[in-house]
Amino acid sequence: MKDFFKETFFRFVPKPMLPRSSASILMYHSISDHGDHFSTIPPEAFKKQMMYFTKKKYPMISLVELVRRLRAGESLGGSVALTFDDGYRDNYATVFPLLQRYGIPATIFVTTNFIGTPGYCSAEELREMHVSGLINIESHTLTHSKLANLSRADVARELRESRRVLESILGATSMIFSYPYGDFSKETVSVVREVGFMGAVTVSEGTVDSIADPLLLPRNAIDSSTSFSQFRGKISRAIDWYNSLKTIIRI
């Protein structure tokens, strides 16, 4: 019922471009023909989405730039920012060449204990993407733990150590953070601020507006269940309308 309602809604509701006061952050994970996880989408589907951005002339910006504008009180420009969680190797082998082709920036949130393990990017691959200037490599903790379950000291260790590892690889300090599983508490957010991150992303869907908390930014998930109609809805105000309606009718 829920899936039917969602697809019907996004197929028929209007999908106006985002107002200049808003932005949409998309959340991807793995882009592969061989994945069997819900978060994996085929390269052809991803390519179609990137072509759509180009054809429709969407203002594509990095997440770092989005956070900078938000903190400076500047217009978000109706822009879209791409993010990828975990640091899968196909982000380098498949995603990076496509983003270079279309000139689209993106942010990859890396779990640093995964670096160089099977299926994940190596330090050299992360460095190459960083040096390109098109890809920001940011922190997704040390071990991908649910932070709300950890002590304040352990949360601080997850954040500080992951930043240290990335800085040793890239020669740059990670400024944006992604909560693993979208899991956090008020204390978690406090530690994220204390450690010095300028922005952080959740997994709650919706668009970003001018009053959004930079450390609790919503993202719109693109996964194996996302149709092209739903994709278009998630880069428009339709995602906000859907969330409001879903709350009212409790699906």
Side-chain angles (χ1 to χ4, degrees):
M1 174 64 182
K2 179 180 178 180
D3 290 342
F4 174 78
F5 173 79
K6 186 174 186 180
E7 178 57 25
T8 301
F9 178 90
F10 281 113
R11 180 171 294 181
F12 295 107
V13 74
K15 302 173 186 65
M17 294 281 282
L18 291 165
R20 291 191 59 78
S21 60
S22 298
S24 177
I25 305 171
L26 298 186
M27 176 179 65
Y28 295 89
H29 286 78
S30 174
I31 310 297
S32 173
D33 281 321
H34 308 294
D36 56 2
H37 194 267
F38 78 95
S39 62
T40 302
I41 68 171
E44 282 304 309
F46 180 72
K47 181 180 178 181
K48 182 179 180 181
Q49 294 166 6
M50 299 307 103
M51 292 174 65
Y52 182 79
F53 287 135
T54 301
K55 179 181 178 181
K56 298 296 184 180
K57 295 182 170 56
Y58 270 80
M60 310 298 294
I61 64 173
S62 70
L63 184 58
V64 171
E65 173 62 13
L66 187 155
V67 170
R68 187 199 68 77
R69 291 184 188 182
L70 182 62
R71 285 189 166 274
E74 298 177 8
S75 170
L76 299 178
S79 56
V80 177
L82 306 187
T83 68
F84 296 79
D85 278 10
D86 300 334
Y88 290 101
R89 190 177 184 278
D90 56 53
N91 291 180
Y92 171 79
T94 302
V95 173
F96 184 37
L98 282 171
L99 295 180
Q100 288 179 306
R101 179 186 304 178
Y102 294 105
I104 297 175
T107 297
I108 299 176
F109 290 105
V110 176
T111 302
T112 53
N113 275 5
F114 295 173
I115 295 173
T117 62
Y120 294 90
C121 289
S122 67
E124 292 75 17
E125 290 163 346
L126 294 174
R127 190 179 300 113
E128 181 182 339
M129 290 190 286
H130 168 75
V131 169
S132 75
L134 195 65
I135 309 297
N136 290 112
I137 309 298
E138 305 286 352
S139 172
H140 197 38
T141 71
L142 192 66
T143 65
H144 206 275
S145 299
K146 290 189 174 183
L147 298 181
N149 296 339
L150 302 183
S151 68
R152 186 180 184 91
D154 284 340
V155 172
R157 176 178 174 273
E158 288 277 346
L159 272 56
R160 290 196 170 98
E161 282 299 300
S162 63
R163 287 182 104 195
R164 183 192 61 77
V165 171
L166 291 178
E167 186 165 2
S168 71
I169 294 171
L170 308 173
T173 301
S174 173
M175 298 307 296
I176 314 292
F177 179 72
S178 172
Y179 301 98
Y181 309 102
D183 182 76
F184 60 87
S185 64
K186 287 184 178 180
E187 187 167 50
T188 306
V189 179
S190 174
V191 178
V192 170
R193 182 181 293 107
E194 179 183 287
V195 168
F197 285 100
M198 301 302 293
V201 291
T202 69
V203 299
S204 298
E205 293 201 317
T207 59
V208 181
D209 59 26
S210 61
I211 62 171
D213 185 335
L215 297 183
L216 293 171
L217 296 173
R219 285 190 295 174
N220 299 311
I222 307 296
D223 55 41
S224 60
S225 70
T226 307
S227 68
F228 196 69
S229 293
Q230 291 175 27
F231 162 76
R232 290 175 56 216
K234 291 182 179 189
I235 52 174
S236 76
R237 288 300 307 280
I239 185 63
D240 295 324
W241 302 337
Y242 172 76
N243 288 331
S244 296
L245 185 59
K246 184 174 66 173
T247 300
I248 293 170
I249 63 177
R250 297 181 180 179
I251 63 165

